[in-house]
Amino acid sequence: MGAVDELIYLDNAATSWPKPPEVVRAMSDFIEKAGGNPGRSGHRLSIRAGRIVYEAREALAELFSVPDPLRVVFTPGATYAINLALLGLLHPGDTVVATSIEHNAVMRPLRALEQRGVRLVIVPCAPDGTLAPLALQRAATPGTRLVVMTHASNVMGTILPVAEAAKIAHQVGALLLVDAAQSAGVLPIDMRSLGIDLLAFAGHKGLMGPPGTGGLVIGEGVDEAQMEPLVRGGTGSRSEFELQPDFLPDRYESGTSNGMGIAGLGAGVRFVRERGIEMLRSHEMELTTQLVEGLGSIPGVKVYGPLETGRRAAIVSFGVAGRQVSELGMRLDEEYGILCRVGLHCAPAAHRTMGTFPHGTVRLAPGPFNTASEIEKVIEAVERIVRS
Ligand SMILES: Cc1ncc(COP(=O)(O)O)c(C=O)c1O
């Protein structure tokens, strides 16, 4: 460890830390007591592992108000889930609409598809990340196949109007894919009432699971026959056939699953549900308000994103006039033990929208285990660095 022993972890938008003890326990229990290959062999350890994976599927289906747990497909993270939906659904000649604040997990597959003949329409957001539904309405024309958008910006925290977007998408016959990497476990998500067709989530951020977990929830309105798998292979089912099974989740889950990770994810989802999303959100909103107000009152500091914290997830980006973000991040870590992320946050488009490209910002992202006194120390540390 560096000059300070006590760490203040404010990088929960990259991955949450620490994980709840029950997540760590579920993972070690899986390896020690249920180490079989889920859904493969018929022996007791395989059955035990399969049950744990299914229970995690059920917990996620309940969290997102999806009646059928088999519509939850596990992936190694949100990136894979987004790629599965985009590459599986879009063909040359199709039109896809996205916003100007998307993460590269969305932008890079979209740009690759554009090179293959998919028409890509980008809807500009305001510099604070706000998306005007009217702008989306103008962009989504009849014949649009898909609208894809982040639920909450990983740079500014800005929450996008997904329910309005779903209505607009459905009016023109398009599906809505939501990148919930920053909102799953953080904001209430009822897929049916919001009208979300496909939900890509990260398991290792707000859902408190381990790295290497995530998934795609496929709404009932999506015909999976129209969505090609990214990977094909063994599923433990229909082994007599050399063609990929056409049923869920096996159509999209080939190869041995990340049982240990999914066991941890299941425990993370149960932790979130037991604490309650409303309680977790109100705690994170208090810390976010404290950060926005505290940092905003330091001369020379510019805080980005909506000032009204109810319109953002617990993510605060800031910059200091005349200072490199790399220097700020390094000093926060080395001198104060404050861990954050600086730069472009894998979202150059969002920084272009915000006016902070190519230098980026310092991003602070509180989580369930941060406290008001930690945030006070962070504000004091920034104040001292700015003065020195
Ligand atoms: C908005 C957004 N989308 C996608 C991702 C990718 O998630 P994962 O690391 O689970 O693949 C992230 C992660 O930083 C993100 O913030």
Side-chain angles (χ1 to χ4, degrees), residues 13-14 76-80 82 103 105-106 150 152-154 179 181-182 201-205 213-214 341 345 363:
T79 303
Y80 187 106
I82 293 162
H103 189 278
V106 171
T150 186
S153 161
N154 67 307
D179 172 0
Q182 296 297 343
F201 66 88
H204 59 104
K205 300 183 197 263
T213 59
R341 182 167 173 200
H345 313 100
R363 182 184 73 181

Side-chain angles (χ1 to χ4, degrees), residues 161-239:
V162 290
E164 285 92 331
K167 283 193 199 109
I168 292 167
H170 296 160
Q171 271 163 13
V172 295
L175 295 171
L176 177 68
L177 163 63
V178 171
D179 172 0
Q182 296 297 343
S183 60
V186 170
L187 301 174
I189 300 179
D190 178 326
M191 274 185 70
R192 265 189 173 170
S193 70
L194 291 172
I196 298 169
D197 298 297
L198 293 142
L199 186 86
F201 66 88
H204 59 104
K205 300 183 197 263
L207 293 174
M208 307 309 287
T213 59
L216 182 68
V217 190
I218 301 172
E220 285 162 327
V222 178
D223 176 7
E224 55 272 16
Q226 305 294 316
M227 193 170 85
E228 286 293 307
L230 264 189
V231 172
R232 294 173 175 83
T235 55
S237 57
R238 301 282 165 89
S239 294

Side-chain angles (χ1 to χ4, degrees), residues 132-327:
L134 199 65
L136 182 64
Q137 199 153 22
R138 271 192 223 112
T141 48
T144 299
R145 175 110 176 87
L146 186 74
V147 173
V148 50
M149 66 164 61
T150 186
H151 194 179
S153 161
N154 67 307
V155 176
M156 298 163 257
T158 318
I159 298 168
L160 296 198
V162 290
E164 285 92 331
K167 283 193 199 109
I168 292 167
H170 296 160
Q171 271 163 13
V172 295
L175 295 171
L176 177 68
L177 163 63
V178 171
D179 172 0
Q182 296 297 343
S183 60
V186 170
L187 301 174
I189 300 179
D190 178 326
M191 274 185 70
R192 265 189 173 170
S193 70
L194 291 172
I196 298 169
D197 298 297
L198 293 142
L199 186 86
F201 66 88
H204 59 104
K205 300 183 197 263
L207 293 174
M208 307 309 287
T213 59
L216 182 68
V217 190
I218 301 172
E220 285 162 327
V222 178
D223 176 7
E224 55 272 16
Q226 305 294 316
M227 193 170 85
E228 286 293 307
L230 264 189
V231 172
R232 294 173 175 83
T235 55
S237 57
R238 301 282 165 89
S239 294
E240 67 276 30
F241 296 117
E242 291 183 1
L243 281 175
Q244 188 72 12
D246 56 4
F247 50 86
L248 293 172
D250 299 27
R251 181 166 165 77
Y252 305 112
E253 282 187 5
S254 291
T256 298
S257 60
N258 175 11
M260 181 179 72
I262 294 170
L265 171 57
V269 175
R270 285 188 284 278
F271 168 88
V272 166
R273 296 188 71 213
E274 274 156 28
R275 292 279 176 110
I277 292 218
E278 305 300 338
M279 288 294 288
L280 292 169
R281 168 110 176 111
S282 92
H283 172 68
E284 288 177 14
M285 279 304 89
E286 274 170 32
L287 303 185
T288 305
T289 305
Q290 195 185 344
L291 266 178
V292 170
E293 289 175 358
L295 293 173
S297 68
I298 304 172
V301 171
K302 179 165 173 52
V303 177
Y304 296 91
L307 287 180
E308 201 187 309
T309 45
R311 289 177 51 219
R312 61 160 94 203
I315 293 173
V316 179
S317 257
F318 73 95
V320 179
R323 298 292 185 92
Q324 298 280 345
V325 293
S326 52
E327 181 218 333

Side-chain angles (χ1 to χ4, degrees), residues 314-361:
I315 293 173
V316 179
S317 257
F318 73 95
V320 179
R323 298 292 185 92
Q324 298 280 345
V325 293
S326 52
E327 181 218 333
L328 298 171
M330 203 169 66
R331 289 191 62 186
L332 283 169
D333 182 359
E334 287 180 359
E335 296 171 23
Y336 299 95
I338 296 165
L339 311 185
C340 61
R341 182 167 173 200
V342 303
L344 294 175
H345 313 100
C346 296
H351 281 279
R352 281 200 177 90
T353 301
M354 209 161 77
T356 48
F357 185 87
H359 306 296
T361 52

